[in-house]
mmCIF file with all atom_site columns, all heavy atoms in Angstrom:
data_model
loop_
_atom_site.group_PDB
_atom_site.id
_atom_site.type_symbol
_atom_site.label_atom_id
_atom_site.label_alt_id
_atom_site.label_comp_id
_atom_site.label_asym_id
_atom_site.label_entity_id
_atom_site.label_seq_id
_atom_site.pdbx_PDB_ins_code
_atom_site.Cartn_x
_atom_site.Cartn_y
_atom_site.Cartn_z
_atom_site.occupancy
_atom_site.B_iso_or_equiv
_atom_site.pdbx_formal_charge
_atom_site.auth_seq_id
_atom_site.auth_comp_id
_atom_site.auth_asym_id
_atom_site.auth_atom_id
_atom_site.pdbx_PDB_model_num
ATOM 1   N N   . HIS A 1 400 ? -13.664 -18.864 11.582 1.00 98.00 ? 627 HIS A N   1
ATOM 2   C CA  . HIS A 1 400 ? -13.963 -19.449 12.908 1.00 98.00 ? 627 HIS A CA  1
ATOM 3   C C   . HIS A 1 400 ? -13.954 -20.985 12.815 1.00 98.00 ? 627 HIS A C   1
ATOM 4   O O   . HIS A 1 400 ? -13.296 -21.673 13.607 1.00 98.00 ? 627 HIS A O   1
ATOM 5   C CB  . HIS A 1 400 ? -15.331 -18.947 13.375 1.00 98.00 ? 627 HIS A CB  1
ATOM 6   C CG  . HIS A 1 400 ? -15.548 -19.092 14.839 1.00 98.00 ? 627 HIS A CG  1
ATOM 7   N ND1 . HIS A 1 400 ? -16.237 -18.182 15.589 1.00 98.00 ? 627 HIS A ND1 1
ATOM 8   C CD2 . HIS A 1 400 ? -15.151 -20.045 15.709 1.00 98.00 ? 627 HIS A CD2 1
ATOM 9   C CE1 . HIS A 1 400 ? -16.263 -18.564 16.845 1.00 98.00 ? 627 HIS A CE1 1
ATOM 10  N NE2 . HIS A 1 400 ? -15.602 -19.701 16.949 1.00 98.00 ? 627 HIS A NE2 1
ATOM 11  N N   . LYS A 1 401 ? -14.670 -21.517 11.804 1.00 98.00 ? 628 LYS A N   1
ATOM 12  C CA  . LYS A 1 401 ? -14.729 -22.982 11.638 1.00 98.00 ? 628 LYS A CA  1
ATOM 13  C C   . LYS A 1 401 ? -13.333 -23.538 11.379 1.00 98.00 ? 628 LYS A C   1
ATOM 14  O O   . LYS A 1 401 ? -12.947 -24.581 11.913 1.00 98.00 ? 628 LYS A O   1
ATOM 15  C CB  . LYS A 1 401 ? -15.642 -23.336 10.450 1.00 98.00 ? 628 LYS A CB  1
ATOM 16  C CG  . LYS A 1 401 ? -17.109 -23.195 10.775 1.00 98.00 ? 628 LYS A CG  1
ATOM 17  C CD  . LYS A 1 401 ? -17.943 -23.706 9.591  1.00 98.00 ? 628 LYS A CD  1
ATOM 18  C CE  . LYS A 1 401 ? -19.387 -23.235 9.747  1.00 98.00 ? 628 LYS A CE  1
ATOM 19  N NZ  . LYS A 1 401 ? -20.039 -22.940 8.490  1.00 98.00 ? 628 LYS A NZ  1
ATOM 20  N N   . PHE A 1 402 ? -12.586 -22.820 10.564 1.00 98.00 ? 629 PHE A N   1
ATOM 21  C CA  . PHE A 1 402 ? -11.231 -23.262 10.218 1.00 98.00 ? 629 PHE A CA  1
ATOM 22  C C   . PHE A 1 402 ? -10.356 -23.329 11.478 1.00 98.00 ? 629 PHE A C   1
ATOM 23  O O   . PHE A 1 402 ? -9.634  -24.318 11.698 1.00 98.00 ? 629 PHE A O   1
ATOM 24  C CB  . PHE A 1 402 ? -10.646 -22.294 9.191  1.00 98.00 ? 629 PHE A CB  1
ATOM 25  C CG  . PHE A 1 402 ? -9.214  -22.553 8.838  1.00 98.00 ? 629 PHE A CG  1
ATOM 26  C CD1 . PHE A 1 402 ? -8.808  -23.770 8.315  1.00 98.00 ? 629 PHE A CD1 1
ATOM 27  C CD2 . PHE A 1 402 ? -8.244  -21.561 9.018  1.00 98.00 ? 629 PHE A CD2 1
ATOM 28  C CE1 . PHE A 1 402 ? -7.472  -24.004 7.980  1.00 98.00 ? 629 PHE A CE1 1
ATOM 29  C CE2 . PHE A 1 402 ? -6.910  -21.793 8.688  1.00 98.00 ? 629 PHE A CE2 1
ATOM 30  C CZ  . PHE A 1 402 ? -6.528  -23.014 8.171  1.00 98.00 ? 629 PHE A CZ  1
ATOM 31  N N   . CYS A 1 403 ? -10.451 -22.322 12.318 1.00 98.00 ? 630 CYS A N   1
ATOM 32  C CA  . CYS A 1 403 ? -9.622  -22.301 13.533 1.00 98.00 ? 630 CYS A CA  1
ATOM 33  C C   . CYS A 1 403 ? -10.050 -23.418 14.485 1.00 98.00 ? 630 CYS A C   1
ATOM 34  O O   . CYS A 1 403 ? -9.205  -24.069 15.108 1.00 98.00 ? 630 CYS A O   1
ATOM 35  C CB  . CYS A 1 403 ? -9.699  -20.940 14.227 1.00 98.00 ? 630 CYS A CB  1
ATOM 36  S SG  . CYS A 1 403 ? -8.905  -19.663 13.256 1.00 98.00 ? 630 CYS A SG  1
ATOM 37  N N   . ASN A 1 404 ? -11.365 -23.639 14.589 1.00 96.00 ? 631 ASN A N   1
ATOM 38  C CA  . ASN A 1 404 ? -11.837 -24.762 15.419 1.00 96.00 ? 631 ASN A CA  1
ATOM 39  C C   . ASN A 1 404 ? -11.240 -26.063 14.913 1.00 96.00 ? 631 ASN A C   1
ATOM 40  O O   . ASN A 1 404 ? -10.765 -26.893 15.694 1.00 96.00 ? 631 ASN A O   1
ATOM 41  C CB  . ASN A 1 404 ? -13.364 -24.869 15.375 1.00 96.00 ? 631 ASN A CB  1
ATOM 42  C CG  . ASN A 1 404 ? -14.010 -23.835 16.279 1.00 96.00 ? 631 ASN A CG  1
ATOM 43  O OD1 . ASN A 1 404 ? -13.347 -23.260 17.148 1.00 96.00 ? 631 ASN A OD1 1
ATOM 44  N ND2 . ASN A 1 404 ? -15.296 -23.597 16.077 1.00 96.00 ? 631 ASN A ND2 1
ATOM 45  N N   . GLN A 1 405 ? -11.260 -26.218 13.590 1.00 95.00 ? 632 GLN A N   1
ATOM 46  C CA  . GLN A 1 405 ? -10.711 -27.439 12.979 1.00 95.00 ? 632 GLN A CA  1
ATOM 47  C C   . GLN A 1 405 ? -9.226  -27.594 13.313 1.00 95.00 ? 632 GLN A C   1
ATOM 48  O O   . GLN A 1 405 ? -8.774  -28.659 13.707 1.00 95.00 ? 632 GLN A O   1
ATOM 49  C CB  . GLN A 1 405 ? -10.918 -27.338 11.469 1.00 95.00 ? 632 GLN A CB  1
ATOM 50  C CG  . GLN A 1 405 ? -10.474 -28.528 10.661 1.00 95.00 ? 632 GLN A CG  1
ATOM 51  C CD  . GLN A 1 405 ? -10.761 -28.290 9.166  1.00 95.00 ? 632 GLN A CD  1
ATOM 52  O OE1 . GLN A 1 405 ? -11.912 -28.198 8.739  1.00 95.00 ? 632 GLN A OE1 1
ATOM 53  N NE2 . GLN A 1 405 ? -9.704  -28.166 8.385  1.00 95.00 ? 632 GLN A NE2 1
ATOM 54  N N   . LEU A 1 406 ? -8.490  -26.503 13.190 1.00 95.00 ? 633 LEU A N   1
ATOM 55  C CA  . LEU A 1 406 ? -7.045  -26.560 13.486 1.00 95.00 ? 633 LEU A CA  1
ATOM 56  C C   . LEU A 1 406 ? -6.807  -26.943 14.942 1.00 95.00 ? 633 LEU A C   1
ATOM 57  O O   . LEU A 1 406 ? -5.938  -27.762 15.248 1.00 95.00 ? 633 LEU A O   1
ATOM 58  C CB  . LEU A 1 406 ? -6.396  -25.196 13.223 1.00 95.00 ? 633 LEU A CB  1
ATOM 59  C CG  . LEU A 1 406 ? -6.157  -24.782 11.782 1.00 95.00 ? 633 LEU A CG  1
ATOM 60  C CD1 . LEU A 1 406 ? -5.595  -23.366 11.725 1.00 95.00 ? 633 LEU A CD1 1
ATOM 61  C CD2 . LEU A 1 406 ? -5.197  -25.744 11.082 1.00 95.00 ? 633 LEU A CD2 1
ATOM 62  N N   . LEU A 1 407 ? -7.602  -26.361 15.836 1.00 94.00 ? 634 LEU A N   1
ATOM 63  C CA  . LEU A 1 407 ? -7.415  -26.635 17.260 1.00 94.00 ? 634 LEU A CA  1
ATOM 64  C C   . LEU A 1 407 ? -7.769  -28.087 17.584 1.00 94.00 ? 634 LEU A C   1
ATOM 65  O O   . LEU A 1 407 ? -7.078  -28.739 18.363 1.00 94.00 ? 634 LEU A O   1
ATOM 66  C CB  . LEU A 1 407 ? -8.245  -25.667 18.112 1.00 94.00 ? 634 LEU A CB  1
ATOM 67  C CG  . LEU A 1 407 ? -7.692  -24.239 18.150 1.00 94.00 ? 634 LEU A CG  1
ATOM 68  C CD1 . LEU A 1 407 ? -8.703  -23.266 18.730 1.00 94.00 ? 634 LEU A CD1 1
ATOM 69  C CD2 . LEU A 1 407 ? -6.373  -24.171 18.924 1.00 94.00 ? 634 LEU A CD2 1
ATOM 70  N N   . GLU A 1 408 ? -8.832  -28.588 16.936 1.00 91.00 ? 635 GLU A N   1
ATOM 71  C CA  . GLU A 1 408 ? -9.204  -30.001 17.157 1.00 91.00 ? 635 GLU A CA  1
ATOM 72  C C   . GLU A 1 408 ? -8.089  -30.929 16.688 1.00 91.00 ? 635 GLU A C   1
ATOM 73  O O   . GLU A 1 408 ? -7.725  -31.877 17.373 1.00 91.00 ? 635 GLU A O   1
ATOM 74  C CB  . GLU A 1 408 ? -10.485 -30.342 16.403 1.00 91.00 ? 635 GLU A CB  1
ATOM 75  C CG  . GLU A 1 408 ? -11.740 -30.050 17.210 1.00 91.00 ? 635 GLU A CG  1
ATOM 76  C CD  . GLU A 1 408 ? -12.989 -30.084 16.323 1.00 91.00 ? 635 GLU A CD  1
ATOM 77  O OE1 . GLU A 1 408 ? -12.971 -30.803 15.302 1.00 91.00 ? 635 GLU A OE1 1
ATOM 78  O OE2 . GLU A 1 408 ? -13.946 -29.353 16.666 1.00 91.00 ? 635 GLU A OE2 1
ATOM 79  N N   . GLU A 1 409 ? -7.517  -30.619 15.500 1.00 86.00 ? 636 GLU A N   1
ATOM 80  C CA  . GLU A 1 409 ? -6.412  -31.448 14.972 1.00 86.00 ? 636 GLU A CA  1
ATOM 81  C C   . GLU A 1 409 ? -5.264  -31.499 15.972 1.00 86.00 ? 636 GLU A C   1
ATOM 82  O O   . GLU A 1 409 ? -4.628  -32.507 16.168 1.00 86.00 ? 636 GLU A O   1
ATOM 83  C CB  . GLU A 1 409 ? -5.877  -30.856 13.665 1.00 86.00 ? 636 GLU A CB  1
ATOM 84  C CG  . GLU A 1 409 ? -6.710  -31.232 12.457 1.00 86.00 ? 636 GLU A CG  1
ATOM 85  C CD  . GLU A 1 409 ? -6.321  -30.382 11.235 1.00 86.00 ? 636 GLU A CD  1
ATOM 86  O OE1 . GLU A 1 409 ? -5.247  -29.761 11.255 1.00 86.00 ? 636 GLU A OE1 1
ATOM 87  O OE2 . GLU A 1 409 ? -7.131  -30.357 10.286 1.00 86.00 ? 636 GLU A OE2 1
ATOM 88  N N   . LYS A 1 410 ? -5.001  -30.356 16.629 1.00 75.00 ? 637 LYS A N   1
ATOM 89  C CA  . LYS A 1 410 ? -3.883  -30.281 17.590 1.00 75.00 ? 637 LYS A CA  1
ATOM 90  C C   . LYS A 1 410 ? -4.152  -31.152 18.810 1.00 75.00 ? 637 LYS A C   1
ATOM 91  O O   . LYS A 1 410 ? -3.268  -31.781 19.373 1.00 75.00 ? 637 LYS A O   1
ATOM 92  C CB  . LYS A 1 410 ? -3.658  -28.832 18.036 1.00 75.00 ? 637 LYS A CB  1
ATOM 93  C CG  . LYS A 1 410 ? -3.120  -27.937 16.960 1.00 75.00 ? 637 LYS A CG  1
ATOM 94  C CD  . LYS A 1 410 ? -1.613  -27.962 16.942 1.00 75.00 ? 637 LYS A CD  1
ATOM 95  C CE  . LYS A 1 410 ? -0.921  -27.490 15.718 1.00 75.00 ? 637 LYS A CE  1
ATOM 96  N NZ  . LYS A 1 410 ? -1.507  -27.366 14.438 1.00 75.00 ? 637 LYS A NZ  1
ATOM 97  N N   . ILE A 1 411 ? -5.436  -31.170 19.234 1.00 67.00 ? 638 ILE A N   1
ATOM 98  C CA  . ILE A 1 411 ? -5.782  -31.912 20.455 1.00 67.00 ? 638 ILE A CA  1
ATOM 99  C C   . ILE A 1 411 ? -5.788  -33.412 20.210 1.00 67.00 ? 638 ILE A C   1
ATOM 100 O O   . ILE A 1 411 ? -5.317  -34.199 21.010 1.00 67.00 ? 638 ILE A O   1
ATOM 101 C CB  . ILE A 1 411 ? -7.163  -31.437 20.996 1.00 67.00 ? 638 ILE A CB  1
ATOM 102 C CG1 . ILE A 1 411 ? -7.057  -29.982 21.444 1.00 67.00 ? 638 ILE A CG1 1
ATOM 103 C CG2 . ILE A 1 411 ? -7.628  -32.299 22.166 1.00 67.00 ? 638 ILE A CG2 1
ATOM 104 C CD1 . ILE A 1 411 ? -8.383  -29.295 21.628 1.00 67.00 ? 638 ILE A CD1 1
#
Side-chain angles (χ1 to χ4, degrees):
H627 199 144
K628 284 186 195 146
F629 175 58
C630 292
N631 282 344
Q632 183 179 294
L633 285 176
L634 287 167
E635 272 166 28
E636 278 168 16
K637 291 271 161 341
I638 295 164

